[in-house]
């Protein structure tokens, strides 16, 4: 292999001793000239201080030992036993781009590390940083097709019910919002004496048909066509089952009906499948996403659109696009802080508590970067008496039809020091369209000593998402499938709710009635 040599540019360099949820600065940032040496299979980063600094660091660039935070920050784990650490916990070197050339230099270093060997070779160099071990790397994310993504959730429900026969055998069960009745059939398979399958929509007819098509278990299912608040049930039930989760856990406000069913129909000491849900919140840095959303309103830059000046609508259109939550599959390497977890215990929560949910945020950002907003995902616990099961939508795990969700701030925050704390809150206010307004406020340390705190705020309608994952899939289909793929993508695009910036600009956003239907939605 040919050797790689030559200076790439000048960057800022400091070291941190990091651990889960915290990072301790072990050297002040100093300027360093970076270059690459060695063959492509084992590249070496040379970071050399200016004459008055007099330091030289030689850092092996190996896959799994190098991380990016946006395009302006690169982290490299130091070799074991280096001067700033010890063999058990080597330091992390943080390189920050000072200019456009520095950005290119960091990308070159990252690409060199990515091509240095296989994942197996990278694993042999030592353990991951503890916080990186919590999530698989972005390359390991498993992208399942739509049906398989739903099957993952269905399979978890099936296992949670079937593996806890003591909770179902001979018991009365209610399926809240049964949809097609699949969970009702699972409960009957587990030995339920009777299952009251409650469904307000016309899906109730399909639930009856599915039950009738499965004799032996379906004859124990009683489909009740109506709202759970209105149906009449002849007895209190021992178990509630439901799939009440939406994006950000609470979207669609089905959890309120689940809680109502608990209060009205569940026996004291009865069980709920799922028992609780946890919402996880984390800071993220993703310049690609930010640029993508910011570019959406570029159309309104035109000052001569058939003789019409559109520029007055640029800012309202931009605010409209940034007011959408982004639903997609989040690469774990864009997450830059610890997580805040908010738990909803379905056995004890009240409907009133779900009207206004405020979650304080105190996020330690591990590296210097631009914080573009808050990333979120959820998990739910099936707390059976014999077996417990978790269903998680976390980044890096096999994707579900819920994906993950991000609140992208129009005004991002710059974090200049590793370990700095970003504080604020995420507040969810229920509205009458079966969803929530999401209010995010974040504060970061001043950019200059003695200066004002940085602050950014955003308001998002959880009912009006940007389904980025689906849009990316359609673009890939159109690019790869020729005319046939393009026609299929166009047909699919007709099913995707899109923002209407002209309407937003006039202050009258249109409620998007059409929602993305995953395989579990409506079951």
């Amino acid at each position: 292999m040919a050797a790689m040599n030559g200076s790439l540019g000048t960057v800022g360099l400091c070291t941190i001793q990091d651990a889960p949820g915290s990072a301790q600065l072990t050297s002040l940032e100093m300027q360093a000239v970076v270059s690459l040496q060695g063959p492509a299979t084992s590249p070496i980063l040379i970071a050399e201080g200016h004459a008055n600094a007099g330091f030289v660091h030689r850092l092996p660039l190996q896959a799994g030992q190098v991380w990016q935070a946006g395009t302006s920050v690169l982290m490299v784990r130091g070799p074991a036993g280096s001067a700033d650490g010890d063999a058990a916990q080597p330091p992390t070197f943080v390189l920050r781009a000072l200019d456009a050339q520095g950005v290119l230099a960091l990308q070159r270093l990252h690409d060199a590390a990515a091509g240095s060997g296989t994942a197996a070779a990278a694993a042999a160099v030592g353990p991951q940083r503890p916080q990186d071990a919590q999530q698989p790397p972005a390359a390991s994310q498993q992208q399942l097709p739509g049906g398989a993504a739903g099957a993952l959730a269905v399979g978890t429900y099936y296992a949670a019910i079937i593996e806890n026969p003591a909770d179902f055998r001979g018991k009365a069960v209610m399926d809240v919002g049964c949809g097609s009745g699949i969970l009702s059939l699972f409960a009957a398979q587990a030995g339920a004496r009777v299952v009251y399958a409650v469904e307000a929509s016309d899906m109730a007819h399909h639930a009856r048909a599915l039950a009738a098509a499965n004799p032996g278990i379906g004859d124990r299912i009683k489909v009740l066509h109506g709202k759970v608040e209105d149906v009449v049930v002849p007895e209190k039930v021992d178990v509630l089952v439901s799939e009440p989760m939406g994006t950000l856990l609470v979207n669609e406000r089905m959890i309120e009906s689940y809680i109502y069913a608990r209060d009205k129909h569940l026996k004291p000491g009865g069980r709920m499948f799922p028992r609780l849900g946890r919402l996880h919140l984390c800071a993220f840095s993703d310049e690609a996403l930010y640029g993508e959303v910011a570019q959406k309103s570029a159309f309104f830059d035109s000052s001569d659109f058939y003789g019409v000046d559109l520029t007055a609508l640029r800012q309202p259109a931009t605010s409209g696009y940034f007011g959408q939550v982004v639903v997609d599959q989040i690469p774990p390497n864009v997450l830059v802080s610890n997580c805040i977890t908010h738990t909803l215990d379905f056995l004890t929560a009240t409907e009133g508590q779900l009207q206004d949910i405020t979650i304080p945020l105190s996020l330690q950002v591990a590296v210097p970067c631009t914080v573009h907003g808050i990333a979120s995902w959820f998990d739910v616990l099936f707390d059976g008496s014999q077996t417990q099961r978790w269903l998680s939508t976390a980044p890096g795990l096999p994707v579900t039809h819920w994906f993950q969700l991000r609140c992208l701030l129009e005004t991002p925050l710059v974090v200049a020091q590793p370990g700095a704390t970003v504080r604020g809150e995420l507040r969810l206010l229920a509205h009458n369209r079966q969803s929530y307004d999401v209010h995010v406020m974040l504060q970061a340390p001043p950019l200059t000593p003695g200066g004002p705190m940085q602050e950014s705020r955003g308001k998002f309608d959880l009912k009006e998402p940007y389904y980025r994952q689906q849009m990316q899939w359609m673009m890939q289909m159109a690019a790869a499938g020729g005319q046939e793929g393009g026609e299929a993508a166009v047909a699919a695009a007709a099913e995707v709710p899109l923002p209407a910036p002209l309407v937003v600009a006039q202050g009258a956003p249109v409620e998007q009635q059409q929602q993305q239907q995953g395989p579990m939605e409506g079951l």
Side-chain angles (χ1 to χ4, degrees):
M1 290 283 184
M4 300 178 290
N5 295 287
S7 171
L8 300 178
T10 300
V11 301
L13 175 70
C14 65
T15 59
I16 59 174
Q17 196 78 36
D18 59 351
S22 66
Q24 298 297 321
L25 187 69
T26 55
S27 74
L28 298 177
E29 184 178 274
M30 303 183 70
Q31 290 190 11
V33 177
V34 294
S35 59
L36 272 174
Q37 291 186 5
T41 53
S42 54
I44 302 294
L45 162 62
I46 306 298
E48 186 173 0
H50 290 292
N52 58 343
F55 63 83
V56 178
H57 294 294
R58 296 176 58 87
L59 306 175
L61 295 179
Q62 298 167 308
Q65 311 298 303
V66 177
W67 304 268
Q68 276 185 311
T71 59
S72 300
V73 175
L74 188 75
M75 297 165 285
V76 181
R77 186 198 285 125
S82 54
D84 296 301
D86 54 46
Q89 188 73 29
T92 296
F93 290 77
V94 180
L95 287 70
R96 184 173 65 89
L98 304 176
D99 51 27
Q101 184 179 0
V103 172
L104 294 175
L106 297 188
Q107 187 60 51
R108 175 79 183 279
L109 295 172
H110 181 267
D111 291 345
S116 66
T118 64
V125 302
Q128 287 184 300
R129 302 185 309 165
Q131 59 270 46
D132 292 303
Q134 294 172 7
Q135 299 288 355
S140 73
Q141 295 187 90
Q142 301 182 43
Q143 176 66 61
L144 302 177
L152 176 69
V154 175
T156 303
Y157 268 87
Y158 177 80
I161 292 172
I162 296 299
E163 292 173 357
N164 288 284
D167 298 328
F168 290 89
R169 188 179 298 116
K171 303 294 179 65
V173 177
M174 175 178 284
D175 183 356
V176 182
C178 72
S180 66
I182 189 69
L183 300 185
S184 299
L185 288 163
F186 291 168
Q189 283 181 310
R193 170 175 56 83
V194 61
V195 182
Y196 299 103
V198 181
E199 175 56 47
S201 76
D202 287 342
M203 281 293 292
H205 303 306
H206 299 292
R208 288 195 181 100
L210 195 60
N214 287 271
I217 54 175
D219 52 7
R220 283 177 270 148
I221 297 173
K222 311 298 182 186
V223 178
L224 304 177
H225 189 182
K227 296 180 179 180
V228 71
E229 293 85 356
D230 301 331
V231 296
V232 177
V233 182
E235 60 180 317
K236 293 278 189 177
V237 299
D238 303 284
V239 183
L240 294 179
V241 297
S242 184
E243 189 267 298
M245 303 87 72
T247 51
L248 204 64
L249 183 61
V250 295
N251 187 30
E252 301 174 15
R253 296 181 61 181
M254 182 64 184
I255 294 175
E256 293 170 50
S257 295
Y258 192 38
I259 289 174
Y260 182 92
R262 176 203 69 193
D263 293 341
K264 183 176 181 180
H265 299 294
L266 186 64
K267 293 178 181 178
R271 291 190 175 273
M272 299 178 74
F273 283 66
R275 150 70 190 275
L276 61 81
R278 301 187 305 181
L279 182 61
H280 305 279
L281 305 172
C282 178
F284 76 91
S285 178
D286 191 339
E287 294 183 15
L289 173 63
Y290 184 84
E292 175 186 326
V293 174
Q295 184 63 24
K296 283 185 172 187
S297 55
F299 168 75
F300 296 99
D301 283 335
S302 176
S303 59
D304 187 13
F305 181 72
Y306 294 99
V308 177
D309 184 354
L310 301 179
T311 56
L313 297 182
R314 172 62 192 265
Q315 186 52 51
T318 298
S319 298
Y321 283 117
F322 276 97
Q324 292 183 289
V325 293
V326 180
V327 177
D328 71 342
Q329 189 177 9
I330 301 176
N333 59 4
V334 306
L335 306 178
V336 295
S337 78
N338 59 304
C339 287
I340 298 297
T341 297
H342 180 78
T343 300
L344 284 175
D345 188 338
F346 303 142
L347 274 176
T348 60
T350 66
E351 291 184 67
Q353 291 172 342
L354 293 172
Q355 305 304 304
D356 185 348
I357 303 170
T358 299
I359 306 173
L361 302 175
S362 179
L363 304 170
Q364 287 71 52
V365 179
V367 295
C369 64
T370 301
V371 173
H372 290 106
I374 297 297
S376 68
W377 58 94
F378 69 85
D379 49 33
V380 292
L381 171 66
F382 299 92
D383 187 20
S385 62
Q386 296 167 284
T387 302
Q388 289 187 330
R389 284 270 182 174
W390 284 96
L391 172 59
S392 177
T393 65
L397 296 181
V399 66
T400 70
H401 69 275
W402 290 287
F403 295 101
Q404 295 96 36
L405 182 143
R406 285 184 275 185
C407 295
L408 180 66
L409 293 170
E410 187 174 353
T411 304
L413 303 172
V414 177
V415 174
Q417 291 293 329
T421 299
V422 172
R423 302 184 189 279
E425 68 176 26
L426 183 144
R427 186 180 184 190
L428 295 159
L429 290 174
H431 58 57
N432 59 9
R433 290 181 293 120
Q434 296 303 110
S435 192
Y436 289 80
D437 287 326
V438 185
H439 299 261
V440 175
M441 187 278 290
L442 294 179
Q443 290 184 328
L447 287 174
T448 57
M453 293 284 289
Q454 300 177 75
E455 183 172 300
S456 184
R457 295 176 180 268
K459 179 183 177 182
F460 311 84
D461 188 348
L462 192 55
K463 185 78 170 181
E464 304 280 353
Y466 165 36
Y467 283 114
R468 185 178 185 229
Q469 194 80 18
Q470 189 169 7
M471 294 300 295
Q472 290 175 333
W473 168 79
M474 288 189 298
M475 289 187 288
Q476 291 168 0
M477 177 191 285
Q483 181 177 358
E484 182 179 349
E487 291 173 352
V490 170
E495 304 297 325
V496 179
L498 297 175
L502 281 171
V503 177
V504 173
Q506 296 168 357
V510 176
E511 178 180 353
Q512 297 163 345
Q513 300 293 336
Q514 204 166 16
Q515 295 295 311
Q516 182 187 32
Q517 289 293 320
M520 274 295 289
E521 294 191 28
L523 289 182

